[in-house]
Amino acid sequence: ELKVEQNPLFLSMQEGKNYTIYCNYSTTSDRLYWYRQDPGKSLESLFVLLSNGAVKQEGRLMASLDTKARLSTLHITAAVHDLSATYFCAGTPPSSGSARQLTFGSGTQLTVLP
Amino acid sequence: DAMVIQNPRYQVTQFGKPVTLSCSQTLNHNVMYWYQQKSSQAPKLLFHYYDKDFNNEADTPDNFQSRRPNTSFCFLDIRSPGLGDAAMYLCATSRLGSGGRQPQHFGDGTRLSIL
């Protein structure tokens, strides 16, 4: 059974600062996804990481995947208030087959302070 | 724009009164999922349809059922809602054969309240 752990669960940071959110998973997951969720809203896809060493960047966010360490990171550069949201990572269990059901981490609630 | 549409956005029902939530998609994806998300928690998969093939998660309560009459529509039926079923219900879709290269697409969710 795939387990996905994120840390920290809560993160307050000042505008302009950098920080990293960590996502560890317990068994093989050859795909790793990052989503953003604003309060009361649905999930917005940020990144799909397909292979070991994959790195993707969009604006101030950069995600990476190390399948050997079973670790993905989401790095925030020079945070701005608009990045305040909850960020989820998710993997697909080996047993998920083609349907690729997602197993989510607990989420990291990010608050960017002025 | 192609999308995943959930109705209603907000649903209030009484304890024990059956309720149905709906999801439609214009993406022509062959896999549709239902997730339950309780306050400040991660989404939890209830079940999914791969075309017409229904797949239930082992820990999904019997109280929850689903129907998929065609590719575009999927319904979540809660036969006798309890107070613990109050949550946001998210519908998502994906395309088989993309090899997981495409993310699941989520609807805006239905927030269910139980009185």
Side-chain angles (χ1 to χ4, degrees), chain A residues 55-82:
Chain A
V55 176
K56 291 197 172 178
Q57 183 163 6
E58 180 73 33
R60 300 174 188 274
L61 301 177
M62 183 174 71
S64 66
L65 178 62
D66 181 344
T67 58
K68 292 179 180 166
R70 295 179 182 161
L71 170 69
S72 180
T73 60
L74 181 65
H75 187 73
I76 303 155
T77 301
V80 293
H81 180 69
D82 285 352

Side-chain angles (χ1 to χ4, degrees), chain A residues 14-90:
Chain A
Q14 287 192 313
E15 281 190 328
K17 298 293 187 183
N18 305 333
Y19 208 83
T20 300
I21 299 171
Y22 297 89
C23 175
N24 291 89
Y25 52 96
S26 60
T27 64
T28 301
S29 177
D30 57 353
R31 305 285 186 262
L32 200 292
Y33 305 84
W34 284 95
Y35 286 88
R36 168 183 171 146
Q37 186 176 38
D38 291 295
K41 304 288 187 181
S42 190
L43 288 101
E44 173 193 355
S45 175
L46 294 174
F47 301 108
V48 181
L49 301 169
L50 300 176
S51 60
N52 187 42
V55 176
K56 291 197 172 178
Q57 183 163 6
E58 180 73 33
R60 300 174 188 274
L61 301 177
M62 183 174 71
S64 66
L65 178 62
D66 181 344
T67 58
K68 292 179 180 166
R70 295 179 182 161
L71 170 69
S72 180
T73 60
L74 181 65
H75 187 73
I76 303 155
T77 301
V80 293
H81 180 69
D82 285 352
L83 290 179
S84 297
T86 298
Y87 293 85
F88 290 97
C89 65

Side-chain angles (χ1 to χ4, degrees), chain A residues 31 33 35 37 40-43 45 48 50 88 98-102 104-107 109, chain B residues 9 33 35 37 41-43 45 48 57 88 90 96 99-101 103-104 106-108 111:
Chain A
R31 305 285 186 262
Y33 305 84
Y35 286 88
Q37 186 176 38
K41 304 288 187 181
S42 190
L43 288 101
S45 175
V48 181
L50 300 176
F88 290 97
S98 300
R100 297 191 178 273
Q101 304 92 296
L102 295 176
F104 284 87
S106 300
Q109 187 175 317
Chain B
R9 291 294 312 278
Y33 311 80
Y35 291 86
Q37 186 179 26
Q41 295 185 19
L45 182 66
H48 74 274
E57 292 299 297
M88 173 81 91
L90 296 164
L96 177 69
R101 292 176 180 81
Q104 290 182 15
F106 284 81
D108 286 339
R111 183 167 296 282

